[in-house]
Amino acid sequence: MKPRKVPAAATAVLMLALAATACGSGGGSDDGKKVTVGIKFDQPGVGLKTPDGDYEGFDVDVARYVAGQLGYAPSDIVFKEAKSADRETLLQRGDVDFIVASYSINDERRTKVDFAGPYFLAHQDVLVRAGDDSITSPADLNGRKLCSVTGSTSAQNVKNELAPRAQLQEYGGYSECLTGLENGTIDAVTTDDAILAGYAAQDHFKGKFRLGGFELSDELYGIGVKKGDTELRSDIDTALRKMVLDSAWQRAVEANFGPAGYRSEPPPGIGAPAAETPAG
């Protein structure tokens, strides 16, 4: 069957209608495409979905900057929750285009996904109750209930290397760990210091917890992309370098971590192998 020809007048009307639709699209990209970004929804200061449906945190600021450099307007960005245990699956299935979710780069994860960056250097630490002076070193975690989230490597690192008799408790989110720490069913929460500082700075937690200051490991955050997508990874690296050079990176650090008194490390070498990035 031959394609039906459309009269010139009808074509003109159709083009005008499409142009009008584009002008009223709210400032999105010219082709109307969206970008779906995985972030954490429950990490204050890092990635948080607020009660009014907005998103805030350092990773959110990074995601918005990168998306902008890739050609997407703010209205083109769709944020999707990326829990620690789901991140590789989200990328492999194509449910997200990239993930900015306190995603530490390690060799095991590199077998499943690729990473742009790193764009942030954190240190694993523990959060304990402010009045608990019995935990002053990693060895003091032996026999204690140590909480982290399912899919995170933090608690297992402590048990394997520093406190083999720690009692691991894995929950679905850090908010549950903090609730347990507050009511005494958990003795310590472990993850990256930036994440812990964000929680401790919340109004309803102020003065209740303290960071151990142990610096148990170096955690280099990368932006996860689908395995083999070298073009996107390279484009994101370029965007991250620009974010550092124009001081947007430093402004995001100060805006999200400054209120908690947390002092971040300088930006790591973006695009360099992990072994070449500066340690803390």
Side-chain angles (χ1 to χ4, degrees), residues 11-269:
T11 301
V13 171
L14 176 60
M15 294 301 292
L16 287 171
L18 289 173
T21 300
C23 290
S25 62
S29 60
D30 292 341
D31 56 13
K33 289 184 179 179
K34 300 287 186 181
V35 61
T36 303
V37 184
I39 61 170
K40 292 292 180 69
F41 279 13
D42 67 341
Q43 290 182 352
V46 179
L48 182 70
K49 183 176 182 179
T50 64
D52 61 2
D54 197 6
Y55 303 93
E56 61 183 34
F58 178 72
D59 278 351
V60 176
D61 290 344
V62 171
R64 285 175 170 151
Y65 188 97
V66 168
Q69 293 298 307
L70 296 177
Y72 295 96
S75 59
D76 297 326
I77 305 171
V78 177
F79 286 117
K80 185 178 181 68
E81 185 173 20
K83 293 182 177 181
S84 294
D86 299 335
R87 291 176 296 201
E88 286 83 27
T89 301
L90 289 171
L91 287 168
Q92 291 167 343
R93 291 193 314 211
D95 293 338
V96 296
D97 295 293
F98 58 90
I99 289 178
V100 194
S102 54
Y103 204 177
S104 296
I105 301 171
N106 63 38
D107 290 340
E108 181 182 357
R109 288 169 178 166
R110 275 191 173 123
T111 66
K112 302 173 184 177
V113 302
D114 284 340
F115 287 98
Y119 65 94
F120 192 80
L121 173 59
H123 301 289
Q124 186 184 342
D125 203 347
V126 299
L127 195 70
V128 298
R129 287 180 291 278
D132 186 356
D133 297 326
S134 64
I135 300 177
T136 59
S137 72
D140 294 330
L141 296 169
N142 280 305
R144 304 298 185 92
K145 293 180 179 178
L146 179 66
C147 188
S148 193
V149 301
T150 305
S152 172
T153 59
S154 298
Q156 197 62 53
N157 287 344
V158 172
K159 186 171 178 64
N160 290 344
E161 305 293 336
L162 302 166
R165 291 184 288 105
Q167 301 175 31
L168 298 189
Q169 308 287 320
E170 292 187 314
Y171 291 167
Y174 289 109
S175 296
E176 299 169 54
C177 287
L178 267 290
T179 299
L181 183 62
E182 184 178 25
N183 64 30
T185 59
I186 293 295
D187 297 308
V189 181
T190 186
T191 187
D192 303 342
D193 49 9
I195 297 171
L196 296 174
Y199 278 109
Q202 288 184 289
D203 288 340
H204 56 286
F205 285 146
K206 281 182 179 177
K208 294 183 178 181
F209 308 124
R210 64 173 177 85
L211 283 166
F214 299 157
E215 294 193 3
L216 302 175
S217 68
D218 292 339
E219 302 295 333
L220 288 161
Y221 290 175
I223 294 182
V225 301
K226 192 170 186 177
K227 189 72 176 174
D229 196 341
T230 55
E231 182 178 357
L232 178 58
R233 184 184 67 191
S234 177
D235 289 345
I236 293 175
D237 277 340
T238 299
L240 290 172
R241 291 189 193 100
K242 184 175 181 182
M243 187 177 187
V244 172
L245 289 173
D246 68 13
S247 299
W249 185 92
Q250 187 61 40
R251 290 195 297 272
V253 168
E254 292 170 357
N256 292 289
F257 300 133
Y262 172 73
R263 295 181 62 185
S264 73
E265 298 280 3

